[in-house]
Amino acid sequence: MANVFAIVNQKGGVGKTTTAINLATYIAMEGQRVLLFDLDPQGNATSGLGIDRSQVELSTYDVLIEGRSIGDCQVATQVEGLSLVPATLDLAGAELQLMSMLSRETLLRHALEAVRGIFDVVLIDAPPSLGLLTLNALVAVDALLIPMQTEYYALEGVSQLLRTVELVKRQLNPSLEIGRVLLTMHDERTRLARQVVEEIRNYFGESVSPFIVPRNIRLTEAPSHGLPIALYDPKSRGAIAYQSIAKEIIEYGKARTR
Ligand code: ADP
Ligand code: MG
């Protein structure tokens, strides 16, 4: 049975999509069958994997709103063992359309049930909000991966996210876990960044991954070439960090399902 994770943080620009693309790639390179689900209308995970959004026929929109199966909508990527459900701009309208739909919070959960036996790991790249798309992710997954940029306002908004998680646990998905908090875009030269790491560790304790993703220009360049860092610059510091986190997430998943 697949381990299903959502990469969430309602703040934009904290490294969700970078984390989604690169963890998905490295987990696949470890021999796991991986599905990446692009749940953000901006579709950065889709384009970052080199898929031309204007050529996409079926997408996340079709899964959520039209009731199409994931099997129909997934596409192969250049990474062996990694499939993607791409996102296109019409997903931007889905939030509003979902409002009037029956069982609007559980659509993604039901869609994923059919593929839990096919993949080892499913990753969902969530949009930067706590709207119905993100709610669908919280209801569908086993655990959350929460990227946090180690900057001054890192913990801002976290209590709101955790309150939402508690509500979802109580009413819709009792087994939801905070899987790992991932520290990203870290600049270890600044004292402030080191202080923020301490603060986040005090707040989340054992959930914080020991592997910190450094601020690394190669990670920014890779998506403009449509490549994950593993194919763009596997020796870069960003690549090495994501490879380590991928192994940690595989172990975490194994421990969960044991
Ligand atoms: P989100 O999905 O949370 O909005 P992104 O992953 O798109 O965040 O990252 C925001 C921006 O920061 C992007 O331009 C991305 O290339 C860049 N970025 C992400 N992680 C790093 C990093 N570790 N070092 C340098 N730049 C990064
Ligand atoms: Mg994103």
Side-chain angles (χ1 to χ4, degrees), residues 13 27 38 105 114 123 127 149 153 173-174 177 193 208 216 219 224 245:
I27 293 171
D38 192 349
E105 301 95 354
L123 293 178
Q149 191 177 351
Y153 290 110
N173 184 8
E177 292 177 10
V208 181
N216 179 213
L219 286 171
S224 63
I245 296 171

Side-chain angles (χ1 to χ4, degrees), residues 33 51 57 61 90 108 117 121 123 128-129 165 220 223 225 249:
R33 296 162 300 171
I51 290 174
E57 281 170 22
Y61 180 89
D90 51 8
L108 183 57
V121 175
L123 293 178
S129 71
V165 169
T220 322
H225 298 271
I249 299 304

Side-chain angles (χ1 to χ4, degrees), residues 4 14 38 153 170 183 185 187 196 201-202 236 242 254:
V4 184
V14 298
D38 192 349
Y153 290 110
R170 232 178 291 155
L183 305 175
M185 288 184 241
D187 182 355
V196 173
R201 287 204 168 120
N202 287 336
S236 61
Y242 275 117
K254 281 188 189 150

Side-chain angles (χ1 to χ4, degrees), residues 22 53 65 70 86 129 135 138 143 161 203 210 225 227 239:
N22 293 306
R53 298 171 67 206
I65 306 294
I70 289 175
S129 71
L135 186 60
L138 297 179
L161 173 61
Y203 194 95
H225 298 271
L227 293 170

Side-chain angles (χ1 to χ4, degrees), residues 48-248:
L49 277 169
I51 290 174
D52 181 356
R53 298 171 67 206
S54 66
Q55 304 292 314
V56 166
E57 281 170 22
L58 294 170
S59 68
T60 298
Y61 180 89
D62 297 284
V63 173
L64 290 179
I65 306 294
E66 306 291 353
R68 296 293 294 252
S69 75
I70 289 175
D72 283 350
C73 300
Q74 77 187 56
V75 295
T77 69
Q78 57 201 321
V79 179
E80 197 187 326
L82 173 58
S83 300
L84 171 79
V85 179
T88 52
L89 266 181
D90 51 8
L91 191 57
E95 194 95 37
L96 210 60
Q97 283 172 283
L98 282 168
M99 297 258 246
S100 59
M101 288 174 74
L102 217 56
S103 24
R104 58 192 177 189
E105 301 95 354
T106 52
L107 292 166
L108 183 57
R109 182 180 190 94
H110 290 311
L112 282 169
E113 263 155 26
V115 298
R116 274 190 175 250
I118 298 171
F119 295 100
D120 300 307
V121 175
V122 178
L123 293 178
I124 299 168
D125 186 24
S129 71
L130 289 174
L132 272 174
L133 289 172
T134 298
L135 186 60
N136 262 274
L138 297 179
V139 173
V141 304
D142 306 311
L144 304 176
L145 307 177
I146 307 177
M148 299 187 106
Q149 191 177 351
T150 61
E151 292 206 337
Y152 189 61
Y153 290 110
L155 283 162
E156 190 194 53
V158 161
S159 58
Q160 193 192 3
L161 173 61
L162 295 184
R163 251 196 324 276
T164 307
V165 169
E166 280 312 310
L167 280 174
V168 168
K169 277 176 80 159
R170 232 178 291 155
Q171 296 178 7
L172 294 158
N173 184 8
S175 58
L176 179 64
E177 292 177 10
I178 305 281
R180 285 288 179 276
V181 173
L182 306 173
L183 305 175
T184 64
M185 288 184 241
H186 181 62
D187 182 355
E188 76 255 291
R189 292 167 307 180
T190 74
R191 201 158 68 98
L192 175 65
R194 294 196 302 270
Q195 276 170 0
V196 173
V197 171
E198 278 316 296
E199 246 177 76
I200 295 173
R201 287 204 168 120
N202 287 336
Y203 194 95
F204 284 102
E206 294 292 292
S207 305
V208 181
S209 170
F211 305 108
I212 301 181
V213 182
R215 185 171 281 286
N216 179 213
I217 185 78
R218 307 300 271 169
L219 286 171
T220 322
E221 292 165 358
S224 63
H225 298 271
L227 293 170
I229 196 69
L231 301 182
Y232 180 68
D233 187 353
K235 295 210 161 74
S236 61
R237 296 176 66 225
I240 289 159
Y242 275 117
Q243 190 173 26
S244 303
I245 296 171
K247 289 180 180 163
E248 183 194 7

